[in-house]
Amino acid sequence: MPEIPDLNVFSANLTKRLVGKSLTAIHILVSRKIKTTEADFDAALTGQVLTAVKRIGKQLFFEFGQNHLLGLHLMLYGSMHWYEGKNENKFTIVELLFSDGTGLAITDWQKSVMLTLDPVISPVPDAMQMPDGYLQSALKKVQSRSKRY
C-alpha cells in the first residue's frame, strides 16, 4: 500500500507531467468499486484542464477546471503506469487520456482501487499538517483507551 511519502512523490510527478493538460477521455474498465457511472465522470471531466494533483491522507485528488475533483485511493495493490498509444498494462481499472497523448493507466490485480467524482474531503487534518494541540484536544473528548488488546 502506498504510504504518505510515496503519495507525495506520486503527486509531485503527476503535477510535473500533467498539470495544464486537458483530459480528453476517461475509460472505466472495471467498475466494481466505482459508485458513479462512466457517463457522469465523462460529462464532468472530459475537456477540463487539470489544475493540480494533491495528496490528502492516503488519497490523491486531481483538481480539474469547473471545480471538479477526481479522488483516487490506490488501496493495497493499486498502481499507476504511463503509456502512449495503446494501454498494454494488465489489470487496468481506469484509463485517463490527456491532450498531449499521455495516458495514465490505474491498475490493481485485486480490483480494489477506489475512484470518486467530487468526493467529500474529510475535515480531519492531514497527518503531515496537523495544527498544534489538535491531538490533545481530540483525545480529551475520548473516554476509552486508544488501543485495546
Side-chain angles (χ1 to χ4, degrees), residues 133-144:
Y134 175 81
L135 283 178
Q136 288 175 336
S137 165
L139 292 175
K140 281 181 184 176
K141 299 173 189 173
V142 177
Q143 296 297 318
S144 64

Side-chain angles (χ1 to χ4, degrees), residues 110-129:
Q110 282 193 325
K111 301 178 180 146
S112 295
V113 162
M114 292 175 40
L115 201 70
T116 51
L117 179 63
D118 298 326
V120 175
I121 297 177
S122 172
V124 175
D126 185 79
M128 302 303 288
Q129 300 169 343

Side-chain angles (χ1 to χ4, degrees), residues 7 10 14 19 23 25 41 44 71 78 95 107 109 112 138 145:
L7 292 170
F10 296 165
L14 290 165
V19 166
L23 185 71
F41 278 102
E95 297 172 336
T107 66
W109 65 270
S112 295
R145 295 165 62 183

Side-chain angles (χ1 to χ4, degrees), residues 84-120:
E84 291 188 21
K86 187 175 183 212
N87 174 22
E88 300 287 338
N89 294 287
K90 291 183 178 181
F91 310 113
T92 299
I93 305 295
V94 177
E95 297 172 336
L96 302 174
L97 304 170
F98 290 88
S99 54
D100 67 345
T102 298
L104 181 64
I106 300 166
T107 66
D108 183 0
W109 65 270
Q110 282 193 325
K111 301 178 180 146
S112 295
V113 162
M114 292 175 40
L115 201 70
T116 51
L117 179 63
D118 298 326
V120 175

Side-chain angles (χ1 to χ4, degrees), residues 17-77:
R17 190 142 180 199
L18 297 177
V19 166
K21 295 177 172 66
S22 297
L23 185 71
T24 57
I26 181 169
H27 302 293
I28 299 173
L29 304 170
V30 178
S31 60
R32 188 173 107 183
K33 290 273 198 155
I34 300 172
K35 296 180 174 137
T36 306
T37 66
E38 184 171 347
D40 289 340
F41 278 102
D42 190 51
L45 303 176
T46 298
Q48 300 298 317
V49 174
L50 183 65
T51 58
V53 180
K54 296 180 179 177
R55 179 203 55 81
I56 299 175
K58 288 195 173 186
Q59 294 188 61
L60 291 175
F61 293 94
F62 295 74
E63 295 180 6
F64 287 90
Q66 302 295 322
N67 299 320
H68 285 293
L69 278 179
L70 176 65
L72 172 63
H73 194 306
L74 292 170
M75 301 303 284
L76 195 55
Y77 294 107

